[in-house]
Amino acid sequence: MKQQNFYIIDFDSTFTQVEALDELARISLNKHPDKEAIFKKIEDYTNLAMEGKLSFSESLAKRVQLLEANEDHLKQLITRLKKKVSASFSRNAAFFKKHADEVLIVSGGFKEFITPVVSQYHIKKENIYANTFVTTGDGKIIDYDHANPLSEEGGKVKLMRQMDLKGDLYGIGDGYSDFQLRESGLIKKFFAFTENIARESIVSKADHVTPSFDEFLYVNNLPRAISYPKNRILCLVIGNVPTESIALLKKDGFSIRHKSSFEEKYVADVGMILLADGEKIENDKLERAVKLKTVGYLGSAKNKFSFQTCTDMGIVVFDDPKSNPRSASFIPKRVIDFMNKGTTYMSTNFPNLQLPAIDKSHRLIHIHKNVPGIMAQINTIFAKHNINIVGQFLMTNSTLGYAITDINAEYDKQLFKSLKKIDHTIKFRVLY
């Protein structure tokens, strides 16, 4: 019998982008004359505990004492937290529904605000382990349940020992209490989650650093919303590119390297390039950049690199011949849209195709030379593998065919091999 897996997931700065008690303080102390000083104390206590420099129980007690919160403040917090779920968790909601029996939220936070947030992701209430507040009759928070093991130093270790789960346990979190599970030997691997914050003292001890939940699902070969984690796609930014442009790419989760030139060490692995106006790419490097999918240019790219080489290699180019001020945001957004949805709208060298993402489907991209019969071959392969097509789009120009097919069935690797073997195929890619 196959060993059951359990996924032990932290809440603060992992499932959500923020530390909930810090956010609660900003709500409850909004009109307090010394609010900034109190905020700072609460954040300091949080960080000291997360880095293992202060016992969790001491940190928790000090933070709760400073809150001056009530149940009305909790309602405001819940509304705020629902909007602050980490992006990679949010887009993988289907995983939690499918693995509802195996996912546990284990947190030093409080059920009063955790349960309403994670329950909307199909996580069972009985699988949520956290502290609970003590309130007065009029709803004022005055303390917490000290009998709960999660309120103590090493609480997650104590709880998991009591539960004695039979199977392989994987921990995902950002703090010292999450690492303690690995240190205790109770979990098989500890994944340091760094989408929101990277604590060096924790990252250095992790079995694996996971910049997103997509990465965790990918390395464990689990179902996921996107086929390949964005944090594994190298985006090379070259030259004097505005910080606004870089911020857009970082926010979308790509692995950014900002350099003054196209360094040789990046040629083999680069997946995206964004160039400042005036920068060039040597053709021999371009020809060897076999993983390169798209180039964005903040200005006119004419005579800066070979459009023909890009076209022959299936690399989509976006530039702005009029060098408009909006290039700083417009070009990165076009590049991002192509990487996320396959949209080639306003590209320089590809047929222009603009299309929405389709839920509950897989998107396959096939770039080929514009010769007769390619689509017939593609659809024959889908039929042979009993694949149901949800949507299909084809645009061509004088040299290229650009086909996108959305399918709603699970697929096998043989399907991909067959599509890649079609004559005149330039590039094939699974988008999500």
Side-chain angles (χ1 to χ4, degrees), residues 361-381:
S361 68
H362 303 288
R363 176 160 291 176
L364 313 181
I365 294 178
H366 193 276
I367 303 168
H368 51 271
K369 293 179 181 177
N370 187 12
V371 297
I374 299 291
M375 284 304 296
Q377 292 183 63
I378 289 173
N379 288 333
T380 296
I381 289 170

Side-chain angles (χ1 to χ4, degrees), residues 280-297:
K280 296 183 178 182
I281 304 178
E282 298 165 16
N283 206 52
D284 75 301
K285 287 184 177 177
L286 193 57
E287 289 175 339
R288 289 183 286 116
V290 293
K291 293 183 181 179
L292 185 58
K293 298 170 181 66
T294 180
V295 176
Y297 198 92

Side-chain angles (χ1 to χ4, degrees), residues 223-254:
R224 53 196 175 274
I226 58 177
S227 62
Y228 193 72
K230 293 180 188 179
N231 57 272
R232 287 184 172 232
I233 299 175
L234 174 60
C235 177
L236 192 59
V237 178
I238 300 174
N240 188 24
V241 172
T243 55
E244 175 190 358
S245 305
I246 299 172
L248 285 167
L249 294 163
K250 278 185 177 177
K251 185 179 180 182
D252 215 61
F254 299 105

Side-chain angles (χ1 to χ4, degrees), residues 385-399:
H385 287 265
N386 296 313
I387 298 294
N388 182 45
I389 296 174
V390 178
Q392 196 165 48
F393 312 87
L394 171 68
M395 290 291 288
T396 61
N397 60 20
S398 59
T399 58

Side-chain angles (χ1 to χ4, degrees), residues 156-157 160-161 179-187:
K156 291 186 180 182
V157 173
M160 298 313 296
R161 281 190 175 137
F179 166 70
Q180 284 179 317
L181 287 172
R182 182 68 174 93
E183 195 176 37
S184 69
L186 288 169
I187 62 175

